[in-house]
Amino acid sequence: MNYSRQRQIILNTLEEYAIHPSADQLYDKVHEKDKSISKGTLYRNLNQLAEQGIIKKIDGLDNSAHFDHNTHEHYHFICNRCHKIYDIEKDDIQIPAIKNYDGFTITNHDIIFKGICRECQNNNLN
């Protein structure tokens, strides 16, 4: 993938804004830095970066894809109240190894836990 100033701005912003933003959320932050980056450019670059494995595209969280600059293998926790997305280290969770299940060959997986985050639980106590 060739270097692009706009792509680098998108990558830097995603790393700085590490809350697993949707493309629309990220667009607002990117647009603050460079008004010449259009939504089309952002979407195209996010998809290319995800296809290359430079960032991670997270589908199935809500009606839109979210993006993560953290590409090492890890899981996600989504708070049912505030809808924030948190990283959970793979080593913190015991998942049985499944290499070949009922004739399927599993090449990758995404695991999402849902519940109430610590912050929302603490706010509920006050």
Side-chain angles (χ1 to χ4, degrees):
M1 179 176 283
N2 294 330
Y3 173 80
S4 155
R5 183 186 65 76
Q6 291 178 325
R7 185 175 299 123
Q8 191 61 52
I9 291 170
I10 292 166
L11 275 171
N12 291 347
T13 306
L14 182 59
E15 189 169 341
E16 293 163 10
Y17 191 53
I19 63 160
H20 306 85
S22 67
D24 288 339
Q25 290 172 317
L26 188 59
Y27 175 74
D28 292 339
K29 295 295 183 183
V30 166
H31 201 69
E32 289 173 9
K33 293 181 177 188
D34 186 337
K35 296 201 184 308
S36 72
I37 299 176
S38 68
K39 276 193 178 184
T41 298
L42 177 75
Y43 281 95
R44 186 172 47 259
N45 277 280
L46 288 173
N47 286 319
Q48 288 173 353
L49 291 165
E51 287 170 6
Q52 294 291 318
I54 297 168
I55 65 172
K56 187 171 185 174
K57 184 176 183 179
I58 308 166
D59 289 312
L61 302 181
D62 54 25
N63 292 333
S64 60
H66 289 252
F67 296 89
D68 191 351
H69 76 284
N70 180 359
T71 58
H72 78 275
E73 194 170 348
H74 65 283
Y75 306 127
H76 292 103
F77 174 88
I78 304 170
C79 179
N80 291 330
R81 289 192 185 150
C82 67
H83 306 288
K84 288 182 184 173
I85 305 167
Y86 298 87
D87 288 341
I88 297 178
E89 293 302 318
K90 180 182 176 227
D91 295 339
D92 294 342
I93 304 295
Q94 297 297 318
I95 304 291
I98 301 173
K99 294 190 180 190
N100 192 326
Y101 176 77
D102 198 21
F104 297 106
T105 301
I106 299 170
T107 58
N108 62 6
H109 65 276
D110 289 313
I111 296 177
I112 299 171
F113 299 94
K114 294 186 177 185
I116 308 299
C117 72
R118 185 177 299 126
E119 186 177 330
C120 286
Q121 288 179 52
N122 289 338
N123 287 340
N124 203 28
L125 296 175
N126 296 331

